[in-house]
Every structure is written in structure tokens, then in C-alpha cells.
């Protein structure tokens, strides 16, 4: 064992009470930081997951139509009021080519074409306004985890089979196997059989979404062979916005990422991240001050020993390192203990914080990288906090230090 | 005279230089110590003995003048150089033993070697054990300083001072807080090491009996050497 480590360990062991207290301080600090980070990370990923459970990462739509007045704009004598055009339901131009290109593009996991538009669902005298979503179930499954939300039947819209939300089923009073009538504005209509029911967690969507086959939707919405949008799943969740912008630039289509659609959620997440960062910074600062103050006291107490070591040929650098190591050791031991306590807190939280139905509220995320980062930060903090007292120890005048009793 | 272990030329030492309370403690000290000499440094309290010892021990720099140890001019060295020279050439025995309480007697004796070489090894342990044996304390090797009597602590300190086999050992009233009998033992021990290993000793003492048993007696009064007799 090198001289510096040997002396550092002995000094720590000798000042037992101080050492234990400061390790306890570091432990508490690290436990708070790790626990809060795990909690917030878990909460955030839970929120994002819930949000994206019923949404694609990126949705591609045809560009909006706009008025192109054939007026001489340079002529100041003309007073014109240009009304924006009503946006009719349109297909993406040459969507098969676009789809093939997007599905193969790097950074994109899956793509699913969709034909969607407004319709009425009716049974008997009851009629409800709905949105028809014509999808290829195999492709759609890869983009939205709708299967996890199925409460009855299977997610298999095909032929004249349709999948509806539980709210709509309740409103129309239908069960699996019952038929409902879908009608669109162009008085096209068809009878479909309900083969599945879902609950995506949002009443509005449970009331409005009706999944059908693409073919049926194309017929009802009068878009033969066309699709109204393409849904995409990307690898990098938080890179969705950038990817969307690239796609929009390359294809001239409208590309909207989930980050745009849920701007409020995103800003809430950012605010949370900022506040945890603040807490973490202050806790780290307090821990650093604690380590520094204990070591300052220790340097004063150990003046004589430092003087003797210097007289015996220990250089300033060696004395400096003895105290830096003490700071690092205290921080390291404290952070290991603190991570353990945080892990225990997390599992306690997961056990006791539950929804009314007994399911987990959300799971705090304890990633290995969180521990490693915490240990490294703690180590750096300990060594930095020790810098001042260590410098002071190294600069002690040996003759004076020995004379002090 | 054989090659000197220590040479002081016109050494002055002042405290609080540049302030109204500036005080010169040493006034032009000239001193030579030959290898293997056993010398007493005597003088009344406040005569500057401790300051002189600190200057010789490279713990304090002289205000002016030259300090050479083993013919190496210490005045030209920076702090790292002084530390190295001190570790290699000097052993210290202080009045209040000054062992390090966190370490055992054996570890205290090993400490100068550990500092010199960076980490402990079995050979050091052996040498330290031999030194403890020589001061009659091999049984106390594993004890902490607080568990030893004053005389035992001072004997450990002497063993420690000799660990690197330094050419010069500086002792500041090594028997000052020991009873006569224990003091005699400690003194005899130093004399024996002096004869066996050839280390030179410079011993500050108040005890005229001990001073009389040294090879030479240097007398310091008010920062000036007034006597230098064999």
C-alpha cells in the first residue's frame, strides 16, 4: 500500500467520530440525489410511454393546400382579401414510394400507412361522430403498442371487421360480434362487425377511434388507393423532432413529431429536469462543504503529525495527496452506502406507492449508469472539496507545526 | 578533519523580518561537524538552541549564511530539494518524542523508510524490527505510542531517527522529560548507535552531566557560540 493511502486510512480511522459523521453526511446526500433522480427519470419515462402508447413518434401528412391568387401583386390599386382554402381530405401523393423510402431510412424503426377521416357510427337510433382509422394491423402494431391496450377481442381490423374503443361500445351498446353502421359525409356507408375493443387511457380517443382495414376506409372516405398519413417510429425518441424536420425538408410533406404535438408535456418534462438538477447541485455543494469543513478541522488537529512527516522527508506533494485521498475515500464510501439506501428506498416506493387498483403508480428507474455517474461525481467532489484543506496541510511550516502542542 | 557532515558559515536568523518587531535570534554562527562526532549543544533558555537546530534540520531557512549538509549547499535548494536532503541525511529525536499516534511502534520506526521508498516492504519491516530490538522494545512492536511509557516512546523515536541510517541525527532535549535513570538509558542508547553505525549526533541538552559525556560541547548564549570545547 502506498505511503499516502496508508497514512490517509490511518488518519481516517483515528478520527473515527468525524469520519463516521462525514460519511453519514455523504451517504444521506447521495441517497437523496440517486433517489430523486430515479424517481424523476421513472416518472418522465412513464409519462412519455403513456403518451406514446396511443401516438406515433412522427406523423407524415400531405402538405396543406393554399390559395394561389392570379392577381398582379405589384399593382397597388387592387384591394384583395385572400381567403385561405378549406383543407379537404387528400391522399399523400405517390405514397407507396414515400412509404418505401421512409421505412428504409436510417433511424426509423417502423412505418405504417393510415387512411383516416371523419364518419358517423350508428346502431339503432344512436349515432356517434367517430374517426375512421384504416390500417394494416401488422404494420400498425409496430408503430403503436395498441395491443397492450386491448380489453376484449383481438386487434385484427380486416375485411368488414372493425376494432372500437370501450366508450364507443358503451355508447352504442355493442359487444364483440355485434354490427355497427359506419357512414361518411359522401353518404357512403357500410356495416362492420366489432371484433375487438381497446382502452388507450383517454376517454375521448376511446369514444372516437374506429380501426378498420385500409381498403374499407379508402372506400368509405372516397380515397381509392390513397392514404392520408404515414406513422413512423424512430430509434431516438428525443430526436424525433429533428428527424421530422429532415423528412419534411426532403419530401415536401408535413411531418409532425410527438414533441410538437405534446409541446406542453415536453416543457413540463424540461422543468422537472431543471428542478432536479437544481436539487442535485445544491446537495452536492452541501456535501462538498461538509467534507471540506471536516478536513479543515482534521488538518488543524494533525498539525504536529504533518510536521513530523515533513521532518522525516515527506514532500509537500505527499502531504497534499494524503488529504486529497481522505476526501476521495470518504466520498466513495459514502456514495456506495448512499446508492444502497437509494436502491432500498426505490424498491420501497415501488411497493407502497400504488394506484387504487393496486397496480404500480410508476416504477422509478435505477439505471446502472446513474450509479456509476454518481460515484464518479462523488469522488470528484470529495477530492475537490479536500483540495483547500490539503493545500493548507501541505503548506504548513514544519518547524512551526512540530512546535505546536 | 575528515569530510564534514555539517557546515554552517555565518548563519543569521531573524524573525518577523521587515516588521517593527524584527528580532535576530542567531548572530553569525560558524559550525563544523565531522562524520561520527557526538556533540552536545548547551545554553540557557532563549539562547536560540532550538532555532539553530531547526536551521540545521532544514526545517527553517536562515536569513543569511550557508548551511551545508554532506557538502551539499542547502541554501540553494527549493522545498522539494530540502525535503529530499532531509529525508536522506537527517534523523530527528524531539523532546516530546513526537511519534505518530495512529501508527504502531514498528510502523513509526518504518515511517522514514516508507516515505523514502513510497511503500512498505518486508525488508523495511525487518530493519525496523532490528532497530526496535536494539532499543530493547521488540516486544512492544505492535503497540500504539499511547500504550508506551515516556522512556519507551523516546527509545522508539531514537530507533525511528536511525531507520534511514542518516549521517547526522539531531536530538532536541531527548531526555528533557524523562527521569534521570531513563534519561541515562536513552543517552547510552544514542552513544551506542553513534559508535556502531558512525552516525554523527548533535544533542541539545540542559543536563551538564550528559553534556560532559559528549565528545565536544558547543555553548550558545544569546545567539552566539561562546564555547566550543572538546
Amino acid at each position: 500500500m502506498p505511503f499516502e493511502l496508508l497514512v490517509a486510512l490511518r488518519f481516517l480511522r483515528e478520527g473515527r467520530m468525524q469520519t463516521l459523521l462525514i460519511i453519514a453526511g455523504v451517504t444521506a446526500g447521495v441517497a437523496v440525489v440517486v433517489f430523486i433522480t430515479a424517481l424523476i427519470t421513472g416518472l418522465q419515462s412513464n409519462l412519455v410511454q403513456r403518451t406514446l402508447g396511443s401516438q406515433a413518434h412522427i406523423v407524415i401528412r400531405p402538405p396543406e393546400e393554399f390559395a394561389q391568387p392570379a392577381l398582379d401583386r405589384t399593382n397597388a390599386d387592387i384591394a384583395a382579401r385572400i381567403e385561405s382554402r378549406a383543407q379537404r381530405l387528400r391522399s399523400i401523393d405517390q405514397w407507396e414510394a414515400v412509404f418505401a423510402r421512409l421505412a428504409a431510412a436510417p433511424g426509423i424503426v417502423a412505418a405504417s400507412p393510415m387512411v383516416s377521416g371523419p364518419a358517423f357510427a350508428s346502431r339503432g337510433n344512436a349515432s356517434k361522430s367517430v374517426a375512421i382509422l384504416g390500417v394494416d394491423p401488422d404494420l400498425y402494431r409496430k408503430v403503436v403498442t395498441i395491443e397492450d391496450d386491448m380489453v376484449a377481442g383481438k386487434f385484427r381490423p380486416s375485411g368488414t371487421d372493425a376494432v372500437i374503443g370501450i366508450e364507443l361500445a358503451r355508447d352504442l351498446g355493442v359487444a364483440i360480434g355485434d354490427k355497427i353502421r359506419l357512414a361518411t359525409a359522401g353518404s357512403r356507408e357500410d356495416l362492420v362487425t366489432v371484433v375487438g375493443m381497446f382502452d388507450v387511457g383517454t376517454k375521448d380517443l376511446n369514444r372516437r377511434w374506429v380501426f378498420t382495414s385500409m381498403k374499407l376506409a379508402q372506400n368509405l372516405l372516397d380515397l381509392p388507393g390513397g392514404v392520408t398519413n404515414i406513422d413512423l417510429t424512430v430509434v431516438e425518441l428525443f430526436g424525433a423532432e429533428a428527424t421530422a424536420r429532415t423528412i419534411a425538408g426532403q419530401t415536401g410533406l408535413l411531418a409532425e413529431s410527438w414533441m410538437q404535438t405534446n409541446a406542453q408535456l415536453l416543457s413540463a418534462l424540461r422543468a422537472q429536469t431543471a428542478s432536479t438538477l437544481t436539487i442535485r447541485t445544491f446537495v452536492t455543494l452541501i456535501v462538498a462543504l461538509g467534507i471540506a469543513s471536516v478536513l479543515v478541522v482534521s488538518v488543524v488537529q494533525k498539525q504536529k503529525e504533518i510536521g513530523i512527516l515533513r521532518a522525516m522527508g515527506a514532500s509537500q506533494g505527499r502531504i497534499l495527496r494524503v488529504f486529497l485521498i481522505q476526501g476521495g475515500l470518504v466520498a466513495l464510501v459514502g456514495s456506495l452506502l448512499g446508492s444502497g439506501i437509494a436502491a432500498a428506498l426505490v424498491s420501497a416506493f415501488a411497493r407502497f406507492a400504488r394506484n387504487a387498483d393496486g397496480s404500480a403508480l410508476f416504477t422509478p428507474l435505477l439505471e446502472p449508469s446513474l450509479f456509476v455517474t454518481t460515484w464518479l461525481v462523488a469522488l470528484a467532489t470529495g477530492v475537490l472539496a479536500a483540495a483547500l484543506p490539503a493545500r493548507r496541510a501541505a503548506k504548513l511550516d514544519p518547524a512551526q507545526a512540530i512546535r505546536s502542542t | 578533519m575528515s569530510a564534514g557532515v555539517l557546515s554552517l558559515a555565518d548563519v543569521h536568523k531573524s524573525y518577523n523580518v521587515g516588521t517593527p518587531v524584527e528580532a535576530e535570534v542567531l548572530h553569525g554562527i560558524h559550525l563544523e561537524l565531522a562524520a561520527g562526532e557526538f556533540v552536545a549543544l548547551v545554553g540557557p533558555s532563549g539562547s536560540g538552541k532550538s532555532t539553530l537546530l531547526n536551521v540545521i534540520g532544514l526545517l527553517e531557512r536562515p536569513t543569511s549564511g550557508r548551511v551545508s549538509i554532506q557538502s551539499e549547499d542547502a541554501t540553494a535548494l527549493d522545498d522539494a530539494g530540502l525535503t529530499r536532503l532531509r529525508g536522506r541525511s537527517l534523523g530527528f529525536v524531539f523532546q516530546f518524542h513526537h511519534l505518530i499516534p495512529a501508527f504502531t511502534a514498528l510502523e513509526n520506526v518504518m515511517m522514514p523508510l516508507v516515505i523514502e521508498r513510497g511503500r512498505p516492504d518486508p525488508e523495511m519491516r525487518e530493519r525496523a524490527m532490528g532497530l526496535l530490538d536494539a532499543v530493547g522494545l521488540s516486544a512492544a512492536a505492535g503497540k500504539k505510542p499511547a500504550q508506551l511509557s515516556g522512556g519507551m516512546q523516546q527509545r522508539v523515536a531514537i530507533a525511528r531517527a536511525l531507520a534511514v541510517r542518516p549521517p547526522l541525527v539531531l536530538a532536541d532535549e531527548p531526555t528533557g522529560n524523562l527521569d534521570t535513570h531513563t534519561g541515562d538509558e536513552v543517552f547510552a542508547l544514542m552513544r551506542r548507535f553513534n559508535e556502531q553505525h558512525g552516525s554523527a549526533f548533535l544533542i541539545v541538552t540542559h543536563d551538564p552531566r550528559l553534556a560532559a559525556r559528549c565528545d565536544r560541547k558547543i555553548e550558545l548564549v544569546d545567539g552566539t557560540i561562546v564555547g566550543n570545547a572538546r
Side-chain angles (χ1 to χ4, degrees), chain A residues 1 3 10 308 310 318 403, chain B residues 60 86 107 115 118 120:
Chain A
M1 196 186 294
F3 165 80
R10 286 301 172 89
I308 300 164
R310 296 274 285 125
R318 284 228 157 119
R403 227 179 286 134
Chain B
E60 288 183 51
R86 192 159 61 219
E107 288 165 337
I115 290 172

Side-chain angles (χ1 to χ4, degrees), chain B residues 51-69:
Chain B
T51 304
L52 180 57
L53 210 64
N54 280 342
V55 169
I56 295 172
L58 309 179
L59 296 171
E60 288 183 51
R61 285 177 187 275
T63 315
S64 68
R66 254 175 68 121
V67 179
S68 304
I69 290 178

Side-chain angles (χ1 to χ4, degrees), chain A residues 54-55 59 61 89 112-119 130-137 140 144 146 155-159 161-165 182 184 198 200 204-218 220-221 227-229 231:
Chain A
S54 54
Q55 274 183 27
V59 178
R61 284 181 230 285
L89 201 59
S112 162
M114 181 187 278
V115 189
S116 77
V130 297
I132 296 179
L133 309 175
V135 296
D136 176 331
Y140 190 70
V144 175
I146 189 79
F155 184 75
R156 202 178 291 143
S158 62
D161 292 348
V163 176
I164 65 173
L182 290 178
T184 56
F198 60 82
V200 291
D204 188 43
L205 298 183
N206 289 343
R207 194 166 274 144
R208 286 185 58 82
W209 279 4
V210 174
F211 287 98
T212 66
S213 67
M214 282 176 70
K215 191 101 199 134
L216 185 71
Q218 284 165 346
L220 285 170
L221 297 169
V227 307
T228 55
N229 50 284
D231 289 357

Side-chain angles (χ1 to χ4, degrees), chain A residues 61-78:
Chain A
R61 284 181 230 285
E64 284 188 0
E65 293 179 295
F66 49 89
Q68 286 171 305
L71 291 171
D72 182 6
R73 288 285 193 111
T74 54
N75 189 343
D77 296 338
I78 299 178

Side-chain angles (χ1 to χ4, degrees), chain A residues 1-3 6-7 10-11 13-14 304-305 308-316 318 397-399 402-403, chain B residues 15 54 59-60 79 83 86-87 92 94 98-104 107 111-112 114-116 118-120 160:
Chain A
M1 196 186 294
F3 165 80
L6 189 76
V7 176
R10 286 301 172 89
F11 277 8
R13 211 163 75 186
E14 207 194 8
K304 209 157 86 178
E305 280 102 316
I308 300 164
L309 289 171
R310 296 274 285 125
M312 288 192 297
S315 63
Q316 290 193 351
R318 284 228 157 119
D397 173 11
I402 292 170
R403 227 179 286 134
Chain B
Y15 287 109
N54 280 342
L59 296 171
E60 288 183 51
D79 193 82
T83 305
R86 192 159 61 219
F92 289 87
F94 304 95
H98 287 322
L99 298 175
I100 300 178
F103 290 89
T104 64
E107 288 165 337
M111 193 54 75
V114 178
I115 290 172
E116 193 189 12
R119 60 180 67 224
R160 180 180 67 183

